[in-house]
């Protein structure tokens, strides 16, 4: 049974930075599951912001939503089964609850249809 627990987040000023992390337990992150981050603000649709995908040989390729590309970075530490989302140059429109998600298929993660997700952590930018 895969479990994901997010931490970090909080409040930041516009232009500031925050880091959120997600510990994945149950399976080795890289070997069995692709992990990504999505966010959802009240009244808004879910938006996948970053995830890992495979180009056929390498599962460490990264993809980003156009709204965060160049500002956010997803990376992971295999030894800690932890995935991070470093968020720089934050904007008020980045305010949302951020969730990490995992699925054996990176395609489903990229579509926001991952089988597993955490409880989320709030990010507020003013």
């Amino acid at each position: 049974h895969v479990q994901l627990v997010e931490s970090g987040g909080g409040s930041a000023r516009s232009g500031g930075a925050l880091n959120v992390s997600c510990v994945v337990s149950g399976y080795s992150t890289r070997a069995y599951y692709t992990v990504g981050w999505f966010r959802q603000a009240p009244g808004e649709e879910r938006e996948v912001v970053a995830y890992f995908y495979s180009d056929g040989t390498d599962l460490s390729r990264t993809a980003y939503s156009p709204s965060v590309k160049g500002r956010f970075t997803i990376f992971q530490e295999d030894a800690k089964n932890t995935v991070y989302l470093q968020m720089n140059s934050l904007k008020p429109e980045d305010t949302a609850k951020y969730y990490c998600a995992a699925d054996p298929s990176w395609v489903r993660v990229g579509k926001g249809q991952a089988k597993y997700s955490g409880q989320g952590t709030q990010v507020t930018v003013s």
Side-chain angles (χ1 to χ4, degrees):
H1 178 63
V2 176
Q3 291 184 310
L4 304 99
V5 179
E6 301 96 338
S7 62
S11 299
R13 293 290 183 95
S14 181
L18 287 171
N19 183 290
V20 291
S21 60
C22 172
V23 177
V24 184
S25 61
Y27 287 96
S28 169
T29 307
R30 187 72 70 86
Y32 296 105
Y33 284 85
T34 294
V35 181
W37 289 91
F38 68 90
R39 66 187 181 186
Q40 190 160 22
E44 301 289 332
E45 292 189 357
R46 177 181 298 185
E47 178 187 16
V48 176
V49 296
Y51 62 99
F52 293 99
Y53 72 95
S54 172
D55 64 359
T57 59
D58 181 5
L59 189 54
S60 63
R61 306 286 286 182
T62 55
Y64 298 91
S65 166
S67 64
V68 307
K69 193 171 185 179
R71 301 187 297 120
F72 289 13
T73 302
I74 184 173
F75 61 100
Q76 59 185 351
E77 290 187 79
D78 289 347
K80 296 182 179 180
N81 274 357
T82 301
V83 178
Y84 304 89
L85 184 68
Q86 176 64 42
M87 303 178 288
N88 298 328
S89 302
L90 284 164
K91 304 176 181 179
E93 51 262 45
D94 294 319
T95 296
K97 199 165 189 179
Y98 285 70
Y99 302 82
C100 65
D103 194 284
S105 165
W106 64 263
V107 174
R108 285 199 291 269
V109 173
K111 290 182 178 180
Q113 299 170 352
K115 183 175 182 180
Y116 300 102
S117 62
Q119 295 300 305
T121 184
Q122 180 67 35
V123 170
T124 302
V125 184
S126 59

